[in-house]
Amino acid sequence: MSEISWGLWELLLQGVWVTVQLTVFSAALAAVVAFVIGLARTHRLWIVRFLSGAYFEIFRGTSALILMFWIFFVLPIGFGWQLVPMWAAVLALGLSYGAYGSEVVRGAISAVSPAQREAGIALSFSPAQQLRKIILPQAWPEMVPPFNNLLIELLKGTALVSIMGVADIAFGASLVRNATGQSAPVYTIILVMYFVLAFLLTRVMRAVERHAKAGIGKAPEKRVGLRSRLSADQVGDIARSGAAPAGGAGR
């Protein structure tokens, strides 16, 4: 590690920043895709379910790396415009992991009791109101743990972009290894970097999960009466003395 100069360390640190950007942008796109496709797969119209199911099967069954290559090299041939490697990678990762996330959304929504939907109908809620006020508030806490796993997988999947020349952690590590001729210390360092990023993401998602479940199954707060506010010793003293609490409550 002593042979790694500050300039080479800068390559690795810049790679961390690029990896963070890739993860954030791809996760944002994947979240939108997951909710749109996941909700569509529970739609009452069969054509909507068919089209969303076809998207799910296609993007789940294709390689994210090959999809990156297709977007970067093949898409310009058909449409005449080309994305920079960074955005081609974001698009490929977002579409691919969004397909996996749509199954999480579909499963969580399907797990909500049918009685909850019937309650919404009894309250004359529209389908959109049922979804917003009844179904999603109950399904959302169940989505967070699987989304946490997908987010970690997405973070690790960003290493694929180094093949396209995007200067992420893996690409920076390759340059540092070529400059120093040392593989063990360089790849040990980036293993630690990925672990630290994954650990931080997990902490954030755990906080989101606690917040999501905070109000689930929580009983309404009860009013505290005078006797409840008195300690056990005070109640015993009152009983022994035959006195009533202040304010004439015993009269």
Side-chain angles (χ1 to χ4, degrees):
M1 292 188 186
S2 59
E3 295 184 13
I4 301 178
S5 64
W6 172 244
L8 297 179
W9 275 107
E10 279 188 325
L11 284 176
L12 293 177
L13 295 177
Q14 289 171 3
V16 171
W17 174 235
V18 172
T19 296
V20 170
Q21 292 181 77
L22 280 167
T23 303
V24 171
F25 295 145
S26 300
L29 176 59
V32 173
V33 171
F35 275 94
V36 171
I37 300 301
L39 293 174
R41 293 180 65 200
T42 64
H43 201 274
R44 62 181 182 274
L45 296 178
W46 73 269
I47 185 64
V48 177
R49 296 196 303 272
F50 173 78
L51 292 176
S52 58
Y55 175 93
F56 169 71
E57 294 294 343
I58 291 170
F59 282 89
R60 185 183 65 164
T62 54
S63 166
L65 178 60
I66 301 304
L67 183 59
M68 283 183 205
F69 289 154
W70 192 89
I71 292 174
F72 188 70
F73 294 109
V74 179
L75 201 61
I77 298 175
F79 294 91
W81 51 269
Q82 186 172 28
L83 294 173
V84 297
M86 174 79 169
W87 294 112
V90 167
L91 187 59
L93 291 172
L95 294 177
S96 296
Y97 284 90
Y100 289 103
S102 69
E103 181 67 5
V104 174
V105 174
R106 185 204 63 79
I109 290 176
S110 299
V112 176
S113 172
Q116 300 295 324
R117 302 173 187 269
E118 295 170 3
I121 295 173
L123 293 170
S124 300
F125 284 174
S126 66
Q129 287 176 318
Q130 293 176 35
L131 184 67
R132 181 169 56 88
K133 296 183 177 182
I134 298 177
I135 298 173
L136 281 181
Q138 297 182 62
W140 163 243
E142 304 304 321
M143 299 179 194
V144 178
F147 276 158
N148 183 21
N149 289 334
L150 277 179
L151 187 58
I152 300 303
E153 288 297 323
L154 175 58
L155 168 66
K156 294 186 290 186
T158 58
L160 297 173
V161 306
S162 62
I163 299 176
M164 298 178 61
V166 179
D168 71 322
I169 297 177
F171 185 81
S174 178
L175 295 179
V176 174
R177 184 184 67 84
N178 291 335
T180 61
Q182 297 183 4
S183 298
V186 172
Y187 287 116
T188 300
I189 290 170
I190 66 169
L191 274 177
V192 173
M193 286 179 171
Y194 275 112
F195 171 77
V196 171
L197 290 175
F199 181 81
L200 293 175
L201 285 177
T202 300
R203 295 297 98 191
V204 172
M205 292 301 289
R206 290 282 173 82
V208 172
E209 183 180 0
R210 287 194 298 270
H211 178 74
K213 292 184 176 180
I216 301 300
K218 187 176 180 180
E221 202 172 302
K222 295 181 180 179
R223 296 182 63 184
V224 180
L226 174 61
R227 183 170 290 275
S228 299
R229 290 197 297 267
L230 294 173
S231 67
D233 292 338
Q234 289 174 317
V235 172
D237 292 341
I238 292 171
R240 285 192 296 272
S241 63
R251 295 182 182 179

